[in-house]
Amino acid sequence: MSNLVNVPKNGGLANTNSNRNFPTWSNWLDDIFNRDLPSVLTSNFNTGITLPKVNIKETADAFVVEMAVPGLKKSDFHIDLDNQVLSISAEIKDENEQKEENYIRREFGYSSFKRIFTLPESVNNDKIDASYKEGILSILLPKKEEAKQKPARTIKIS
């Protein structure tokens, strides 16, 4: 593949590629990073668990992070906060062994995930709370007093 450089009379440079059918490096990289990863790469081969989906909503007093992760126990989760970075992870190991007359069947599985979020400065780190109920992990991120939305009010003219 050869690149020819033409110098037009106006003094600018124009890059002429003799093989216009081949994508450029930047187009190729854009194609890779802008398409969704196949489910084979984002799921666990043993259980089919994918990266949990997250809803984040903002109220006047707090941010609420809700993550759908059914089938886990509270003890499976690890929630850490370090320099305004919130990380939520879980690791599940499963081992089953069945013995019957002439054979032994042993299966094991492993699945894990980790989601990381950068928190805004307006979050009061000392009052973060988490709960897990009916397959939904909820994390309450209360706002600092100065960041809370104040109710609308009418100002009288003096």
Side-chain angles (χ1 to χ4, degrees):
M1 182 161 77
S2 66
N3 287 330
L4 302 176
V5 177
N6 294 334
V7 180
K9 291 182 182 177
N10 66 4
L13 292 179
N15 189 3
T16 305
N17 187 344
S18 62
N19 292 319
R20 292 191 184 271
N21 293 335
F22 290 105
T24 63
W25 269 106
S26 87
N27 288 345
W28 184 74
L29 288 172
D30 286 346
D31 285 347
I32 288 175
F33 290 110
N34 288 334
R35 69 173 71 131
D36 290 331
L37 291 174
S39 62
V40 139
L41 298 177
T42 58
S43 67
N44 179 291
F45 292 106
N46 293 333
T47 62
I49 293 176
T50 59
L51 196 61
K53 302 290 184 189
V54 174
N55 292 334
I56 301 174
K57 60 184 170 183
E58 181 177 10
T59 66
D61 299 329
F63 296 94
V64 180
V65 177
E66 296 175 325
M67 182 180 291
V69 280
L72 300 181
K73 301 178 297 233
K74 288 179 187 179
S75 60
D76 293 332
F77 294 102
H78 302 283
I79 302 172
D80 298 310
L81 180 66
D82 184 23
N83 291 328
Q84 294 301 110
V85 176
L86 179 73
S87 65
I88 306 165
S89 61
E91 183 176 340
I92 302 99
K93 295 177 185 176
D94 185 31
E95 293 188 23
N96 293 323
E97 184 173 332
Q98 295 177 345
K99 293 183 181 183
E100 294 185 17
E101 287 183 28
N102 293 329
Y103 67 93
I104 296 176
R105 181 174 130 185
R106 188 174 199 184
E107 293 183 5
F108 61 94
Y110 175 84
S111 56
S112 67
F113 72 84
K114 185 171 190 174
R115 298 290 309 258
I116 297 174
F117 304 94
T118 301
L119 301 181
E121 292 292 328
S122 60
V123 171
N124 186 344
N125 294 342
D126 297 330
K127 297 196 177 186
I128 294 174
D129 188 38
S131 63
Y132 182 66
K133 184 177 179 182
E134 296 179 9
I136 304 292
L137 176 66
S138 297
I139 302 173
L140 179 67
L141 307 165
K143 293 180 181 178
K144 295 177 182 173
E145 275 306 312
E146 60 270 14
K148 291 182 181 178
Q149 254 181 1
K150 307 291 187 237
R153 65 183 180 106
T154 303
I155 300 172
K156 294 185 180 184
I157 301 171
S158 57

